[in-house]
Amino acid sequence: MKKFVSGLIVGAMLFAGASAFADSASLIGQKVQGLFTVEKNGAKVADAVIISGTAYAPVRAVSDATGAKLTIEGKKIIMGDSSNNATSTNEAKTLTDLKSQHNKISTDLNKHQERITDLENNIIPIQEEAAKLQPKLHQEQLDQYKQILQQTKAEVASLQQQLTDIDAQIKALENASK
């Protein structure tokens, strides 16, 4: 009887959690009320759907049309200035901003390098051994880890280039202030 009651309570908690999650994704299951065309200078950019009185357009198409820089980090889409505006913004950065950015990138770089070390020394060797024992079961995971390793190495190279650029900007600002 106790198992039944505890199972009932756990089931109710899981059901309540699922319904709370469904409320946070309010657009799912909503009816599309209309379709608008997004234009720039008379040329069609994309179609936007209307849901509950709000227009939803593809972010990539809008950013390309406006010249805005678009980056994706996890589940966050970041729209920045166009490349022309970014250059003038970078020139206006203060020494404190550049050093802060340098510290953030250095921290990210260290995390990526730790991840590479972990992949090379721990995860990939274990997956290689597992793939030898059960090739069908573990080869796909091994390939995924190798792909993650290559992506992380590419990100490290990009971060190192960013650090080099920031160091040059810091040096130029320090020389200009002397």
Side-chain angles (χ1 to χ4, degrees), residues 8-177:
L8 187 62
I9 292 171
V10 169
M13 290 172 62
L14 289 173
F15 179 73
S19 63
F21 175 74
D23 289 342
S24 67
S26 61
L27 292 178
I28 296 174
Q30 295 290 322
K31 211 175 202 184
V32 175
Q33 299 168 337
L35 185 68
F36 285 6
T37 300
V38 179
E39 293 183 359
K40 181 179 179 188
N41 298 331
K44 180 180 176 181
V45 173
D47 288 325
V49 295
I50 308 303
I51 301 173
S52 301
T54 303
Y56 295 91
V59 177
R60 174 78 60 198
V62 173
S63 69
D64 288 347
T66 60
K69 180 181 173 193
L70 184 71
T71 56
I72 299 172
E73 295 177 4
K75 289 190 174 191
K76 187 185 330 179
I77 299 172
I78 302 166
M79 289 181 67
D81 294 334
S82 65
S83 58
N84 295 341
N85 293 339
T87 305
S88 61
T89 304
N90 286 341
E91 292 172 357
K93 286 185 178 179
T94 65
L95 188 59
T96 306
D97 292 339
L98 288 172
K99 287 183 177 180
S100 173
Q101 188 177 3
H102 183 277
N103 290 339
K104 182 188 176 301
I105 291 174
S106 293
T107 302
D108 289 347
L109 183 61
N110 289 337
K111 287 179 184 176
H112 280 70
Q113 288 172 334
E114 288 173 7
R115 185 175 189 191
I116 288 172
T117 302
D118 186 44
L119 283 165
E120 288 177 337
N121 295 336
N122 300 320
I123 297 173
I124 291 180
I126 291 170
Q127 287 297 321
E128 286 174 341
E129 287 300 317
K132 288 177 186 175
L133 298 173
Q134 296 177 330
K136 290 181 183 178
L137 188 61
H138 295 283
Q139 187 61 43
E140 186 175 311
Q141 284 181 328
L142 176 62
D143 293 341
Q144 288 174 349
Y145 284 123
K146 286 181 178 180
Q147 184 179 9
I148 290 169
L149 177 64
Q150 293 304 317
Q151 289 172 344
T152 306
K153 285 182 177 182
E155 290 171 11
V156 164
S158 173
L159 289 171
Q160 287 174 331
Q161 181 60 46
Q162 290 176 21
L163 278 179
T164 303
D165 294 344
I166 290 172
D167 287 338
Q169 291 176 5
I170 289 172
K171 188 174 183 178
L173 282 174
E174 289 175 338
N175 289 339
S177 66

